[in-house]
Amino acid sequence: MISQPYFIYVERSEAGKNMARYYAMEISETLFGEACLTRTWGRIGSRGQSRLQQFETESEAVDLFLDLMRQKRKRGYGPRRPMGKSV
């Protein structure tokens, strides 16, 4: 059983490069009680691609979740900005 919800959605946009990407991750539980990390990514506004990865323990899934989150933050991904606001 998953002890707490794990979900993150981040975006990276650079108008000069015509870049508008998103990356989402969630840890859930399979019918057999294993931890499952679901990753979805692509261009903002598209369905994108998904990848599912199963783990025997929740801690293994959380370790990868946190590692991927750190990698995305280094590459410039961050929380969604409100519409019409520029920073």
Side-chain angles (χ1 to χ4, degrees):
M1 176 175 235
I2 304 298
S3 62
Q4 66 181 34
Y6 294 92
F7 178 80
I8 190 167
Y9 176 91
V10 290
E11 293 182 349
R12 180 178 176 194
S13 297
E14 292 183 37
K17 294 182 178 181
N18 193 26
M19 180 191 306
R21 299 179 184 165
Y22 72 91
Y23 196 87
M25 290 188 291
E26 178 180 20
I27 297 176
S28 57
E29 190 173 48
T30 66
L31 292 173
F32 303 106
E34 296 176 318
C36 181
L37 175 63
T38 304
R39 298 187 267 172
T40 307
W41 67 92
R43 186 165 178 85
I44 295 172
S46 72
R47 193 174 112 196
Q49 301 177 49
S50 291
R51 180 177 181 184
L52 302 168
Q53 217 169 337
Q54 292 183 358
F55 299 89
E56 290 184 20
T57 65
E58 178 182 353
S59 64
E60 292 174 328
V62 171
D63 288 344
L64 182 57
F65 181 94
L66 294 174
D67 187 46
L68 290 169
M69 189 171 63
R70 279 186 219 101
Q71 289 176 22
K72 294 302 171 189
R73 295 289 291 166
K74 282 183 182 178
R75 289 182 166 222
Y77 283 81
R80 179 186 313 184
R81 293 194 179 114
M83 297 294 279
K85 303 271 182 174
S86 61
V87 175

